[in-house]
Amino acid sequence: MASSYRDREDMATGGGGTSAAAAAAAYDPSYVPDSVKTFVSHLYRHIRDRNVYETHQMYEGGFHRLSDRHFRDTPWPPAEAVAPHCDGDHVFLLLYRELWFRHAHARLQGQGLTPAQRAESWDNYCSLFSVVLQGVVNMQLPNQWLWDMVDEFVYQFQSYCQYRAKLKNKTQEEINLLKQYDQAWSVYGVLNYLKALVEKSMIGEILEREKVGLEQFTATDGYDYEGGSNVLKMLGYYSMIGLLRVHCLLGDYHTGLKCLAPIDISQQGVYTTVIGSHISTIYHYGFASLMMRRYVDGIREFNKILLYILKCKQYHQNSPQYDQLLKKNEQMYALLAICLSLCPQDKLIDENVGTQLKEKYGDKMTKMHRYDDEAYAIYDELFSYACPKFITASPPVLREPFTNYNQDAYRLQLKLFLYEVKQQQLLSGIRSYLKLYSTITIGKLAKYMDVDEVTLRTILMTYKHKMHSINSDGKVISSADFDFYIDEDIIHVVESKLTKNHGDYFLRQILKFEEMINQLDKVQFD
């Protein structure tokens, strides 16, 4: 199903052409194929019976197969048409409509979703989340579905913000509809629902109790095996990741990281059981860390997730999300290249990840250290390729002359990023010289760098400032691989020593030997 790293706005908007238009013209909303009737009745029965395994199979497999077979270019039958096959169950029909609108956003973008349809999807999410928040849902749903629900909620919010900001070619009818549905997908509404799910589920308290052994949340993957429901609890858990994503889209990185704080991403957790959740969490965490100059945190997490994808991507080749997994993988390599260019930390990079990074961006990273016009162009290119699709929180003014505002937030974030890069222009030279010395006088270093001593002191203070940041606990942390202090015009350099993890080294060698043994076993001797 839809995953948080499905950048569907990148899909071709004209796909299908005449065949898509013909299919849309032939669409009969009252017609329900027999296979869909069977699907709906079986899915309803499995949800009612709390059969998570069968529900997951139908959700992850059956829905895609039927979509490809019957609804490649048309919507699914409306909820009213399938209601007789699920006893008209209100909650099930809310879930069905959620799938209906998700399919429409994924498959029918080229035909143009109307503001009314987008507003209807918003209303359905409001109704569905309200039912969950009232505590009247007593069912177990697969974590994949619950993650996709939160992910799609944030995606449709992002998509609507981009849509309403493109005013230049809209008809007067579309403008009037935007005015009519001006309350749909408001930033306050989206944030309020996500925060309400987090608070009502009490997921923060659950994770705290788990630390002292009073909960088994991670051991059970969030499922309830004592007759309860996992829906509110898991929606609250995934909403913390959704809040991180929304705040990244808005450019509020500090608040985004604060929302994710209850989840310990340094450990395996429930967020890692769904590949989309895992990648979205680390991607947005790493990007927010980059923008807040917490380079070491970003490098460490990018390295871990890229190593995981490198080892496990072959197991997802048959997944409908595989292409997007590969795209997000490439984006995170670009972000890692930026982090390492601004803050060299080669000791934190796994050998295999380092090899891949060198193949992809080795030449560009060399040029990025020069901080000339070509270097800035590369920073611009990598940032533009790898950054989220930023949005503006406030709706545009709906009066003539109509212009497009959808790129304003991106341009602002790019400007701030490149300004930060420009501020660090001389830091690469400082780093190169100081790594050669354990002590050096201010005058000597100023002569090497062809600046006066006053300017050099300013550069050294800039280095201290740029290589330090504030973590989630409010503590000042260093991102530099060495430190220095000045005593009587003499610079004393103290290189930080990274604690070697010998266990990782032995594990890598064991895996290499096992691979060699497997290859030797395949050799045929005459």
Side-chain angles (χ1 to χ4, degrees):
M1 294 305 296
S3 183
S4 67
Y5 48 88
R6 289 182 61 189
D7 298 320
R8 286 158 291 187
E9 54 268 30
D10 293 338
M11 294 173 64
T13 56
T18 305
S19 61
Y27 174 66
D28 181 2
S30 63
Y31 173 66
V32 182
D34 290 340
S35 55
V36 173
K37 295 176 183 178
T38 302
F39 172 82
V40 170
S41 61
H42 285 185
L43 180 61
Y44 172 60
R45 188 180 76 246
H46 291 316
I47 291 177
R48 188 182 58 192
D49 294 342
R50 300 165 58 86
N51 190 332
V52 176
Y53 176 79
E54 291 296 340
T55 300
H56 182 268
Q57 294 300 310
M58 297 195 69
Y59 168 79
E60 189 72 357
F63 186 80
H64 281 296
R65 288 192 294 271
L66 289 174
S67 296
D68 290 337
R69 189 183 309 162
H70 298 293
F71 311 108
R72 185 178 295 274
D73 300 308
T74 58
W76 273 62
E80 294 75 16
V82 303
H85 307 288
C86 62
D87 299 333
D89 187 278
H90 176 63
V91 176
F92 179 84
L93 289 176
L94 289 175
L95 292 171
Y96 178 84
R97 287 191 184 97
E98 196 268 332
L99 292 177
W100 191 97
F101 285 112
R102 191 188 310 176
H103 172 266
H105 274 79
R107 300 292 184 96
L108 309 181
Q109 288 276 29
Q111 300 171 29
L113 291 169
T114 66
Q117 288 174 316
R118 296 172 186 267
E120 288 171 13
S121 181
W122 164 252
D123 290 338
N124 187 71
Y125 272 115
C126 292
S127 299
L128 178 58
F129 289 157
S130 295
V131 169
V132 173
L133 289 168
Q134 290 168 9
V136 297
V137 174
N138 185 26
M139 62 176 71
Q140 295 252 52
L141 291 180
N143 285 347
Q144 179 73 58
W145 192 344
L146 295 170
W147 159 250
D148 289 342
M149 204 179 291
V150 173
D151 173 51
E152 185 71 14
F153 180 65
V154 177
Y155 164 72
Q156 289 188 25
F157 163 64
Q158 172 189 347
S159 176
Y160 186 77
C161 289
Q162 294 281 349
Y163 168 79
R164 74 182 179 188
K166 297 178 183 178
L167 299 176
K168 191 172 184 179
N169 296 319
K170 281 187 169 43
T171 63
Q172 189 59 48
E173 180 184 2
E174 289 178 305
I175 297 296
N176 292 336
L177 286 172
L178 284 175
K179 292 179 180 178
Q180 180 181 347
Y181 299 112
D182 60 339
Q183 296 302 310
W185 296 108
S186 71
V187 64
Y188 293 113
V190 170
L191 290 174
N192 284 340
Y193 270 110
L194 292 174
K195 289 179 180 177
L197 288 167
V198 173
E199 293 172 2
K200 186 72 174 180
S201 66
M202 299 182 70
I203 188 63
E205 291 81 351
I206 291 172
L207 293 175
E208 283 298 319
R209 290 201 302 270
E210 185 180 40
K211 292 179 182 178
V212 294
L214 299 177
E215 287 282 349
Q216 294 292 319
F217 179 75
T218 302
T220 61
D221 288 337
Y223 291 106
D224 193 314
Y225 295 105
E226 297 180 359
S229 171
N230 72 324
V231 175
L232 176 58
K233 185 167 52 177
M234 289 307 302
L235 284 178
Y237 182 84
Y238 288 134
S239 290
M240 292 189 289
I241 303 171
L243 284 168
L244 167 64
R245 183 180 174 192
V246 170
H247 286 297
C248 281
L249 294 175
L250 296 171
D252 186 358
Y253 308 108
H254 175 78
T255 304
L257 293 175
K258 191 175 179 180
C259 291
L260 189 70
I263 300 177
D264 184 3
I265 64 169
S266 66
Q267 305 291 331
Q268 293 289 311
V270 177
Y271 76 97
T272 64
T273 61
V274 175
I275 185 66
S277 163
H278 192 184
I279 290 179
S280 178
T281 302
I282 302 304
Y283 168 78
H284 290 98
Y285 175 89
F287 185 82
S289 298
L290 164 64
M291 297 300 283
M292 292 185 66
R293 302 203 315 271
R294 290 165 52 174
Y295 302 118
V296 171
D297 291 343
I299 291 169
R300 185 181 292 112
E301 296 306 323
F302 281 140
N303 175 69
K304 288 196 306 189
I305 189 66
L306 291 171
L307 183 61
Y308 171 79
I309 295 174
L310 193 62
K311 292 179 178 179
C312 302
K313 65 182 178 182
Q314 66 268 23
Y315 303 118
H316 299 278
Q317 288 181 350
N318 296 325
S319 169
Q321 306 160 1
Y322 184 67
D323 289 342
Q324 294 302 326
L325 183 153
L326 294 182
K327 178 178 180 180
K328 218 61 184 180
N329 182 64
E330 293 300 315
Q331 287 180 312
M332 287 190 286
Y333 270 112
L335 292 176
L336 181 59
I338 292 174
C339 287
L340 289 172
S341 296
L342 293 174
C343 178
Q345 288 283 354
D346 295 335
K347 295 177 182 179
L348 296 178
I349 301 300
D350 180 86
E351 179 183 349
N352 296 313
V353 173
T355 301
Q356 292 288 317
L357 182 66
K358 188 175 181 180
E359 291 177 0
K360 298 174 187 294
Y361 295 110
D363 293 340
K364 289 185 177 180
M365 289 177 68
T366 301
K367 295 175 182 177
M368 287 160 76
H369 285 299
R370 297 203 299 257
Y371 291 95
D372 52 15
D373 290 342
E374 185 178 9
Y376 290 132
I378 295 173
Y379 275 111
D380 186 330
E381 174 194 342
L382 295 186
F383 182 88
S384 301
Y385 169 69
C387 70
K389 302 292 188 297
F390 297 108
I391 57 176
T392 303
S394 58
V397 178
L398 299 176
R399 61 169 177 259
E400 296 184 356
F402 295 126
T403 57
N404 291 339
Y405 301 95
N406 58 303
Q407 292 294 315
D408 287 2
Y410 154 72
R411 293 192 187 101
L412 175 60
Q413 295 298 320
L414 176 62
K415 178 182 177 181
L416 293 172
F417 170 74
L418 291 179
Y419 182 67
E420 176 68 30
V421 171
K422 192 170 185 65
Q423 286 183 320
Q424 300 196 28
Q425 184 171 9
L426 294 175
L427 300 190
S428 178
I430 280 284
R431 186 183 296 112
S432 300
Y433 283 118
L434 291 184
K435 288 183 74 72
L436 296 175
Y437 293 89
S438 58
T439 58
I440 185 173
T441 63
I442 292 277
K444 188 175 182 180
L445 182 58
K447 184 177 179 181
Y448 285 158
M449 296 194 64
D450 198 22
V451 296
D452 58 62
E453 293 188 16
V454 175
T455 302
L456 177 60
R457 288 181 183 273
T458 302
I459 295 172
L460 290 171
M461 288 300 295
T462 302
Y463 184 88
K464 280 280 190 181
H465 171 64
K466 294 301 182 183
M467 290 298 106
H468 285 77
S469 59
I470 300 175
N471 66 8
S472 301
D473 299 325
K475 297 179 180 178
V476 177
I477 56 174
S478 173
S479 298
D481 53 350
F482 67 90
D483 200 359
F484 66 88
Y485 62 93
I486 302 174
D487 182 18
E488 296 183 354
D489 291 338
I490 298 178
I491 304 171
H492 298 263
V493 181
V494 181
E495 187 170 357
S496 61
K497 294 183 178 179
L498 189 70
T499 302
K500 293 185 178 180
N501 191 335
H502 299 289
D504 288 345
Y505 173 81
F506 284 117
L507 284 173
R508 288 198 299 270
Q509 301 307 315
I510 290 170
L511 289 173
K512 286 182 180 179
F513 277 118
E514 285 183 348
E515 185 177 349
M516 292 171 60
I517 292 170
N518 290 335
Q519 291 176 350
L520 289 172
D521 288 340
K522 296 176 183 178
V523 175
Q524 299 292 330
F525 294 99
D526 296 330

PDB file of all heavy atoms in Angstrom, residues 339-350:
ATOM      1  N   CYS A 339      26.088  15.844   4.371  1.00  0.00           N
ATOM      2  CA  CYS A 339      26.513  15.824   5.774  1.00  0.00           C
ATOM      3  C   CYS A 339      28.024  15.645   5.896  1.00  0.00           C
ATOM      4  O   CYS A 339      28.687  16.355   6.655  1.00  0.00           O
ATOM      5  CB  CYS A 339      25.802  14.700   6.533  1.00  0.00           C
ATOM      6  SG  CYS A 339      24.058  14.992   6.873  1.00  0.00           S
ATOM      7  N   LEU A 340      28.573  14.703   5.148  1.00  0.00           N
ATOM      8  CA  LEU A 340      29.995  14.410   5.244  1.00  0.00           C
ATOM      9  C   LEU A 340      30.849  15.527   4.644  1.00  0.00           C
ATOM     10  O   LEU A 340      31.996  15.723   5.055  1.00  0.00           O
ATOM     11  CB  LEU A 340      30.308  13.083   4.560  1.00  0.00           C
ATOM     12  CG  LEU A 340      29.809  11.832   5.289  1.00  0.00           C
ATOM     13  CD1 LEU A 340      30.000  10.594   4.434  1.00  0.00           C
ATOM     14  CD2 LEU A 340      30.543  11.666   6.622  1.00  0.00           C
ATOM     15  N   SER A 341      30.310  16.243   3.671  1.00  0.00           N
ATOM     16  CA  SER A 341      31.053  17.360   3.093  1.00  0.00           C
ATOM     17  C   SER A 341      31.114  18.527   4.071  1.00  0.00           C
ATOM     18  O   SER A 341      32.127  19.241   4.153  1.00  0.00           O
ATOM     19  CB  SER A 341      30.401  17.805   1.779  1.00  0.00           C
ATOM     20  OG  SER A 341      30.469  16.766   0.811  1.00  0.00           O
ATOM     21  N   LEU A 342      30.033  18.736   4.822  1.00  0.00           N
ATOM     22  CA  LEU A 342      30.011  19.815   5.810  1.00  0.00           C
ATOM     23  C   LEU A 342      30.704  19.427   7.107  1.00  0.00           C
ATOM     24  O   LEU A 342      31.232  20.283   7.826  1.00  0.00           O
ATOM     25  CB  LEU A 342      28.558  20.214   6.104  1.00  0.00           C
ATOM     26  CG  LEU A 342      27.792  20.864   4.948  1.00  0.00           C
ATOM     27  CD1 LEU A 342      26.330  21.070   5.340  1.00  0.00           C
ATOM     28  CD2 LEU A 342      28.425  22.189   4.553  1.00  0.00           C
ATOM     29  N   CYS A 343      30.696  18.132   7.415  1.00  0.00           N
ATOM     30  CA  CYS A 343      31.271  17.663   8.681  1.00  0.00           C
ATOM     31  C   CYS A 343      31.893  16.283   8.468  1.00  0.00           C
ATOM     32  O   CYS A 343      31.237  15.264   8.706  1.00  0.00           O
ATOM     33  CB  CYS A 343      30.178  17.608   9.753  1.00  0.00           C
ATOM     34  SG  CYS A 343      30.730  16.985  11.347  1.00  0.00           S
ATOM     35  N   PRO A 344      33.132  16.204   7.985  1.00  0.00           N
ATOM     36  CA  PRO A 344      33.763  14.904   7.724  1.00  0.00           C
ATOM     37  C   PRO A 344      33.766  14.012   8.962  1.00  0.00           C
ATOM     38  O   PRO A 344      34.281  14.400  10.012  1.00  0.00           O
ATOM     39  CB  PRO A 344      35.184  15.287   7.308  1.00  0.00           C
ATOM     40  CG  PRO A 344      35.070  16.679   6.798  1.00  0.00           C
ATOM     41  CD  PRO A 344      34.016  17.330   7.643  1.00  0.00           C
ATOM     42  N   GLN A 345      33.180  12.829   8.817  1.00  0.00           N
ATOM     43  CA  GLN A 345      33.128  11.852   9.910  1.00  0.00           C
ATOM     44  C   GLN A 345      33.241  10.450   9.313  1.00  0.00           C
ATOM     45  O   GLN A 345      32.375   9.607   9.493  1.00  0.00           O
ATOM     46  CB  GLN A 345      31.807  11.988  10.695  1.00  0.00           C
ATOM     47  CG  GLN A 345      31.713  13.219  11.557  1.00  0.00           C
ATOM     48  CD  GLN A 345      32.515  13.103  12.844  1.00  0.00           C
ATOM     49  OE1 GLN A 345      33.061  12.051  13.156  1.00  0.00           O
ATOM     50  NE2 GLN A 345      32.586  14.178  13.605  1.00  0.00           N
ATOM     51  N   ASP A 346      34.324  10.218   8.591  1.00  0.00           N
ATOM     52  CA  ASP A 346      34.489   8.949   7.888  1.00  0.00           C
ATOM     53  C   ASP A 346      34.504   7.750   8.826  1.00  0.00           C
ATOM     54  O   ASP A 346      34.178   6.625   8.430  1.00  0.00           O
ATOM     55  CB  ASP A 346      35.776   8.973   7.058  1.00  0.00           C
ATOM     56  CG  ASP A 346      35.720  10.006   5.939  1.00  0.00           C
ATOM     57  OD1 ASP A 346      34.593  10.335   5.515  1.00  0.00           O
ATOM     58  OD2 ASP A 346      36.780  10.493   5.516  1.00  0.00           O
ATOM     59  N   LYS A 347      34.892   7.970  10.089  1.00  0.00           N
ATOM     60  CA  LYS A 347      34.959   6.853  11.036  1.00  0.00           C
ATOM     61  C   LYS A 347      33.578   6.299  11.369  1.00  0.00           C
ATOM     62  O   LYS A 347      33.467   5.178  11.874  1.00  0.00           O
ATOM     63  CB  LYS A 347      35.660   7.302  12.322  1.00  0.00           C
ATOM     64  CG  LYS A 347      37.130   7.667  12.120  1.00  0.00           C
ATOM     65  CD  LYS A 347      37.756   8.172  13.418  1.00  0.00           C
ATOM     66  CE  LYS A 347      39.210   8.583  13.214  1.00  0.00           C
ATOM     67  NZ  LYS A 347      39.816   9.108  14.466  1.00  0.00           N
ATOM     68  N   LEU A 348      32.537   7.081  11.105  1.00  0.00           N
ATOM     69  CA  LEU A 348      31.176   6.628  11.409  1.00  0.00           C
ATOM     70  C   LEU A 348      30.540   5.853  10.262  1.00  0.00           C
ATOM     71  O   LEU A 348      29.440   5.334  10.402  1.00  0.00           O
ATOM     72  CB  LEU A 348      30.288   7.842  11.741  1.00  0.00           C
ATOM     73  CG  LEU A 348      30.658   8.657  12.987  1.00  0.00           C
ATOM     74  CD1 LEU A 348      29.704   9.831  13.129  1.00  0.00           C
ATOM     75  CD2 LEU A 348      30.618   7.783  14.228  1.00  0.00           C
ATOM     76  N   ILE A 349      31.226   5.764   9.130  1.00  0.00           N
ATOM     77  CA  ILE A 349      30.642   5.173   7.940  1.00  0.00           C
ATOM     78  C   ILE A 349      31.098   3.726   7.769  1.00  0.00           C
ATOM     79  O   ILE A 349      32.302   3.432   7.823  1.00  0.00           O
ATOM     80  CB  ILE A 349      31.014   5.988   6.676  1.00  0.00           C
ATOM     81  CG1 ILE A 349      30.527   7.428   6.824  1.00  0.00           C
ATOM     82  CG2 ILE A 349      30.400   5.365   5.429  1.00  0.00           C
ATOM     83  CD1 ILE A 349      29.047   7.566   7.014  1.00  0.00           C
ATOM     84  N   ASP A 350      30.137   2.836   7.578  1.00  0.00           N
ATOM     85  CA  ASP A 350      30.458   1.439   7.308  1.00  0.00           C
ATOM     86  C   ASP A 350      31.208   1.313   5.975  1.00  0.00           C
ATOM     87  O   ASP A 350      30.985   2.097   5.045  1.00  0.00           O
ATOM     88  CB  ASP A 350      29.167   0.620   7.270  1.00  0.00           C
ATOM     89  CG  ASP A 350      29.423  -0.851   6.993  1.00  0.00           C
ATOM     90  OD1 ASP A 350      29.691  -1.596   7.950  1.00  0.00           O
ATOM     91  OD2 ASP A 350      29.367  -1.239   5.811  1.00  0.00           O
TER      92      ASP A 350
END
